[in-house]
């Protein structure tokens, strides 16, 4: 009986903790959805928990048309997809070399990648501005794609390296004995086995780049090149702000991330625990 009570008490504490965690994580999204259906008067009244008297579907019409949603959406998809492709290729090659090759400076190179995880993105704005100005690539997508790749690669190398270390060496040794080259071992063996952590890297990179604003606001000034977070500025004028349309635009901007996350949520778990037993 004492053991059963102690187990029940601990289970209850865990349930309460998880319930509070769910509320704190889900409530902001639910509040944003309610916010997007309200008028400015209802929003400014300060009653955050009140339901909209009449759902304002016109906010979504304004967000879609007035916020130039499709153009910003395309720019975000382009920048994010190019960044993800480059990060996966570069990080998998680096992790393959660090984890599978026997060379003296492998851990030193890994240390450099780990140091890259500690550098804040904001600390590089001024030097990057000077470098890109001299390279004449300011106000182009390249000016944000290059830093995105640089800041996303270290964590990707860290995840993939930890997984590739757990792959038995006999697999690649037998492939090499059969005449496979290093490139073929990497492409036909290591990459297919590393799909779970690669999916994790893809999702983490997608969420980070999709929501990034500071670098894009610093290096991009042309409206035709701006990404989705800039659409919020379309509803702010000198004398008025359409808060409902801003909420609707934020919902539309978060929708692709939410859909992709729920479709691939199990891949995140598999990738994060991959290699945990032997690593």
């Amino acid at each position: 009986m004492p053991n059963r009570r102690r187990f029940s008490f601990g289970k209850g504490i865990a349930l309460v903790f998880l319930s509070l965690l769910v509320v704190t994580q889900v409530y902001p999204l639910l509040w944003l959805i309610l916010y997007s259906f309200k008028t400015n008067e209802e929003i400014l009244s300060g009653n955050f928990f009140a339901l909209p008297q009449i759902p304002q579907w016109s906010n979504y019409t304004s967000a879609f048309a007035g916020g130039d949603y499709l153009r910003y959406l395309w720019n975000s998809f382009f920048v994010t997809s190019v960044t993800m492709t480059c990060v996966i290729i570069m990080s998998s090659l680096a992790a393959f070399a660090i984890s599978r090759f026997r060379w003296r400076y492998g851990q030193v190179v890994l240390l450099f990648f780990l140091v890259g995880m500690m550098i804040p993105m904001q600390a590089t704005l001024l030097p990057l501005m000077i470098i890109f100005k001299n390279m004449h690539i300011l106000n182009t997508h390249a000016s944000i794609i290059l830093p995105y790749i640089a800041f996303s690669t270290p964590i990707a190398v860290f995840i993939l390296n930890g997984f590739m270390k757990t792959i038995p060496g006999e697999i690649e040794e037998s492939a090499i004995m059969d005449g496979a080259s290093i490139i073929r071992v990497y492409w036909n063996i290591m990459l297919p086995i590393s799909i779970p952590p690669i999916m994790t890297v893809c999702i983490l990179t997608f969420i980070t780049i999709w929501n990034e604003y500071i670098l894009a606001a610093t290096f991009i000034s042309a409206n035709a090149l701006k990404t989705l977070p800039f659409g919020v500025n379309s509803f702010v004028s000198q004398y008025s702000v359409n808060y409902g349309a801003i909420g609707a635009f934020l919902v539309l901007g978060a929708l692709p991330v939410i859909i992709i996350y729920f479709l691939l949520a199990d891949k995140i778990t598999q990738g994060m625990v991959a290699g945990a037993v032997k690593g």
Side-chain angles (χ1 to χ4, degrees), residues 83-84 87-88 90-92 94-95 98 109-119 121 147-164 196-209 271-272:
T83 301
M84 288 173 52
V87 167
I88 292 301
M90 296 174 61
S91 61
S92 61
I98 294 172
V109 174
L110 179 61
L111 179 61
F112 276 112
F113 281 108
L114 297 180
V115 171
M117 296 170 56
M118 306 175 190
I119 301 175
M121 186 179 296
Y148 289 164
I149 295 173
F151 284 102
S152 301
T153 299
I155 183 64
V157 172
F158 178 75
I159 294 174
L160 294 176
N161 177 72
F163 177 81
M164 289 184 179
I198 286 176
M199 294 304 299
T200 299
V201 170
C202 286
I203 295 171
L204 295 178
T205 304
F206 180 86
I207 294 175
T208 301
I209 303 306
M272 294 303 290

Side-chain angles (χ1 to χ4, degrees), residues 18-275:
L18 291 176
S19 299
L20 292 175
L21 186 62
V22 169
V23 170
T24 56
Q25 296 298 316
V26 174
Y27 171 72
L29 181 60
L30 296 178
W31 176 83
L32 179 62
I33 293 174
L34 292 177
Y35 182 99
S36 66
F37 286 106
K38 293 181 179 181
T39 63
N40 277 3
E41 291 74 15
E42 291 174 325
I43 293 172
L44 296 176
S45 65
N47 193 351
F48 299 106
F49 299 97
L51 296 174
Q53 297 180 357
I54 300 176
Q56 302 296 314
W57 293 100
S58 60
N59 289 338
Y60 283 87
T61 304
S62 300
F64 190 84
D68 211 353
Y69 176 76
L70 290 180
R71 181 171 64 180
Y72 293 146
L73 181 68
W74 162 250
N75 289 336
S76 291
F77 267 119
F78 174 76
V79 170
T80 304
S81 60
V82 172
T83 301
M84 288 173 52
T85 302
C86 294
V87 167
I88 292 301
I89 294 174
M90 296 174 61
S91 61
S92 61
L93 285 171
F96 177 59
I98 294 172
S99 61
R100 312 309 293 182
F101 292 176
R102 296 178 182 177
W103 51 307
R104 181 182 302 178
Y105 301 106
Q107 295 303 312
V108 176
V109 174
L110 179 61
L111 179 61
F112 276 112
F113 281 108
L114 297 180
V115 171
M117 296 170 56
M118 306 175 190
I119 301 175
M121 186 179 296
Q122 295 80 1
T124 64
L125 291 178
L126 183 57
L128 286 178
M129 174 69 75
I130 297 174
I131 293 173
F132 292 158
K133 183 178 180 180
N134 293 332
M135 295 175 62
H136 305 287
I137 61 172
L138 274 180
N139 200 27
T140 65
H141 281 153
S143 63
I144 57 176
I145 290 176
L146 292 176
Y148 289 164
I149 295 173
F151 284 102
S152 301
T153 299
I155 183 64
V157 172
F158 178 75
I159 294 174
L160 294 176
N161 177 72
F163 177 81
M164 289 184 179
K165 281 183 177 179
T166 66
I167 300 176
E170 291 79 4
I171 297 178
E172 57 190 285
E173 288 176 2
S174 61
I176 293 175
M177 291 180 63
D178 290 338
S181 62
I182 295 297
I183 297 299
R184 188 172 181 182
V185 170
Y186 160 78
W187 185 258
N188 292 340
I189 298 177
M190 302 303 291
L191 278 186
I193 295 177
S194 304
I195 290 299
I198 286 176
M199 294 304 299
T200 299
V201 170
C202 286
I203 295 171
L204 295 178
T205 304
F206 180 86
I207 294 175
T208 301
I209 303 306
W210 190 266
N211 296 320
E212 203 284 322
Y213 181 84
I214 296 177
L215 286 181
T218 304
F219 300 140
I220 299 293
S221 58
N223 289 328
L225 300 176
K226 291 181 178 180
T227 52
L228 204 58
F230 283 93
V232 175
N233 298 331
S234 303
F235 308 102
V236 180
S237 62
Q238 184 176 0
Y239 301 104
S240 64
V241 179
N242 190 343
Y243 294 103
I246 290 177
F249 192 90
L250 292 175
V251 172
L252 292 174
L255 195 59
V257 178
I258 296 173
I259 293 174
I260 290 177
Y261 178 82
F262 278 108
L263 290 176
L264 303 176
D266 58 328
K267 298 296 183 181
I268 294 182
T269 304
Q270 295 176 14
M272 294 303 290
V273 302

